[in-house]
Amino acid sequence: MALSSAVSFNKSTLKVDGLVNLGLYTPVKQINQMGDHALVFMFQPFRGPWVQSIGAFLSKGAATAKILQKLVLKAILLLEKSGLYVHIVVTDGGSWNRGM
């Protein structure tokens, strides 16, 4: 999802919002740059009316396939460690997602 770039200081968390944050997988060249794309991971059970957001990240441009691979694997491992099972990963048809 493309976003408008903006940076602000969050008084409640004492952190700067709006900078690229892909956790441990943030590319060195993007550290301290304004993010313009959001990446959200969600979990939805096969049988159940609810959906749960499990992670949100901010990147500059679309995250690369290599970064997406690492983030998706980490999300799956954390979900399964919590007792939830992942059978399918669904994305749109972006080339970076197909490369993942």
Side-chain angles (χ1 to χ4, degrees), residues 3-59:
L3 306 170
S4 298
S5 297
V7 175
S8 64
F9 181 73
N10 187 329
K11 292 178 186 177
S12 61
T13 62
L14 300 178
K15 292 184 179 183
V16 176
D17 293 334
L19 299 178
V20 172
N21 183 355
L22 294 166
L24 299 173
Y25 311 112
T26 303
V28 174
K29 65 182 180 182
Q30 289 188 11
I31 293 175
N32 294 324
Q33 289 192 9
M34 286 192 294
D36 58 8
H37 280 66
L39 173 64
V40 179
F41 288 97
M42 296 172 54
F43 177 81
Q44 180 177 10
F46 281 123
R47 298 184 68 163
W50 56 275
V51 176
Q52 177 66 50
S53 170
I54 60 167
F57 301 91
L58 195 57
S59 66

